[in-house]
Amino acid sequence: MDEFDYVRRKLIERILHLTEKQPAVRPLLGLTVSKRTFPTEPSTYILPPSICIAVQGAKRVFVGEEYYVYDVENFLLNSFDIPVVAQVIEASKEKPYIGMTWEIDMEILMEIVVEQKLNTKPITSFRGTSLGKVTHQLLDAFRRMLDLLDEPKHISALLPVIKKEILYRLIVSEQGSRLIQIALSGKNDVVTALNYLKEHFSEPVNMKKLSEMVGMSVSSFYQNFKTLTGMTPLQYQKKLRLCKARKLLMAGQDVTTAAYQVGYESLSQFSREYKKFFGISPSQDAKSLRHGLLTEIAH
């Protein structure tokens, strides 16, 4: 057994133990580990800046009109909040899907960029979601992160060190330029407009205002936004609204109030777009959520 397989086996053992009673848990802040014993139906949620690793099995994630499959050999790196549709596609009782999703600590990321004096020319045309190669060193850092659960008194001192190692290894990988660009996002970056949409999702999309915000023409901004996210600003906002609405339904809000709170003026339009996105009407979804028949599976 080589080092890569040894570390994988150790991670599988640890995560199987952590998920004995429920399929997904957060053993440490920002880290979710999960187990699935069968392929899942598509699940929709907002994926934050994160790295997603399948220690065993495989998962498919749709971003806009594209999809990415991450497995034992390839991790998924996501650089910003994005609505996704995800589905475990390789899992069985004998060989369950074992996954980890770690939310990137932007403060530590910026710290590394400053310390290492990293800089890149502003990139306006790059996809914010990509696949990268899983290495023994990366897996071993996550193994050591989870091993801290055996020494809780050392977590506060050692966890930041391991987080920094993971981010450094990502920065020096082929995906590093994406992370550096996000860390260095300034006022002339499409990410600024994306963050604005995220904070003002219930307001109408004003393309002129957004393009002026990042110092681009409307057409240039539109193209760069679509390149970054795989969708138009209006599509991004719509998916964001629907994900926010579902959270309101999960919290017990009624359909009409949820629709208006996220910015819809037409209840019929909301219901139509909700069903198209989630595959179930908001009223049916709300009923299922109240009875605990559905849960938001985000990892």
Side-chain angles (χ1 to χ4, degrees):
M1 182 182 296
D2 60 24
E3 290 182 324
F4 185 87
D5 288 333
Y6 173 78
V7 175
R8 273 191 64 233
R9 185 169 62 81
K10 288 295 182 183
L11 277 169
I12 289 170
E13 289 175 358
R14 171 74 71 170
I15 295 173
L16 283 175
H17 176 70
L18 291 170
T19 56
E20 278 182 341
K21 296 181 179 179
Q22 51 186 333
V25 297
R26 289 174 66 94
L28 293 166
L29 184 64
L31 177 68
T32 299
V33 297
S34 60
K35 173 187 68 179
R36 298 287 182 269
T37 55
F38 50 85
T40 63
E41 292 297 317
S43 175
T44 304
Y45 53 88
I46 298 174
L47 182 66
S50 54
I51 176 173
C52 306
I53 297 176
V55 187
Q56 184 169 270
K59 191 169 187 177
R60 179 170 56 213
V61 176
F62 284 87
V63 179
E65 297 178 354
E66 299 180 348
Y67 72 86
Y68 303 82
V69 174
Y70 64 93
D71 51 23
V72 174
E73 297 182 352
N74 302 284
F75 64 77
L76 179 76
L77 179 64
N78 185 54
S79 304
F80 56 92
D81 287 345
I82 189 76
V84 301
V85 178
Q87 181 178 23
V88 172
I89 58 175
E90 187 180 313
S92 66
K93 288 185 178 181
E94 298 74 25
K95 202 172 182 180
Y97 166 83
I98 303 292
M100 300 186 294
T101 296
W102 180 61
E103 296 178 24
I104 293 171
D105 191 316
M106 288 299 177
E107 290 186 9
I108 296 180
L109 174 61
M110 191 62 197
E111 181 182 322
I112 298 172
V113 170
V114 173
E115 285 179 355
Q116 299 298 319
K117 298 181 174 59
L118 300 173
N119 203 346
T120 61
K121 293 180 180 179
I123 305 172
T124 55
S125 297
F126 75 104
R127 185 69 88 225
T129 308
S130 63
L131 295 174
K133 292 295 180 183
V134 178
T135 64
H136 156 251
Q137 292 85 353
L138 187 63
L139 278 187
D140 193 56
F142 278 104
R143 177 191 63 80
R144 285 182 278 111
M145 179 185 283
L146 286 172
D147 281 351
L148 289 177
L149 296 172
D150 296 331
E151 302 178 291
K153 65 180 180 180
H154 299 313
I155 289 177
S156 61
L158 296 179
L159 184 57
V161 178
I162 298 175
K163 284 182 176 182
K164 194 169 184 178
E165 177 187 347
I166 291 171
L167 284 173
Y168 178 78
R169 293 193 180 281
L170 291 175
I171 283 177
V172 298
S173 72
E174 293 180 355
Q175 285 68 41
S177 60
R178 289 176 170 83
L179 284 175
I180 295 171
Q181 183 66 18
I182 296 301
L184 297 176
S185 293
K187 65 178 181 179
N188 292 324
D189 197 307
V190 175
V191 177
T192 302
L194 190 149
N195 288 331
Y196 180 86
L197 282 174
K198 191 173 63 179
E199 294 172 3
H200 301 83
F201 64 88
S202 62
E203 301 172 9
V205 172
N206 186 325
M207 290 293 293
K208 188 173 184 295
K209 179 179 180 180
L210 291 172
S211 59
E212 289 175 351
M213 185 184 300
V214 297
M216 297 179 184
S217 66
V218 172
S219 60
S220 179
F221 166 71
Y222 181 91
Q223 186 56 51
N224 282 292
F225 189 98
K226 192 171 183 180
T227 299
L228 177 70
T229 65
M231 60 191 82
T232 67
L234 192 59
Q235 289 171 332
Y236 178 83
Q237 183 207 50
K238 182 170 72 174
K239 292 181 178 181
L240 203 62
R241 282 180 171 182
L242 293 171
C243 287
K244 297 287 187 181
R246 190 165 195 262
K247 283 187 176 293
L248 291 174
L249 295 179
M250 290 179 71
Q253 195 65 269
D254 65 89
V255 174
T256 301
T257 303
Y260 291 132
Q261 281 193 9
V262 299
Y264 277 89
E265 296 180 358
S266 167
L267 186 58
S268 60
Q269 181 186 1
F270 169 71
S271 298
R272 184 170 60 252
E273 293 183 351
Y274 191 101
K275 186 173 184 178
K276 182 178 180 181
F277 193 45
F278 292 109
I280 186 174
S281 71
S283 56
Q284 290 174 319
D285 201 16
K287 183 178 180 181
S288 298
L289 291 167
R290 280 196 297 271
H291 288 82
L293 298 179
L294 291 176
T295 57
E296 184 179 39
I297 302 172
H299 301 287

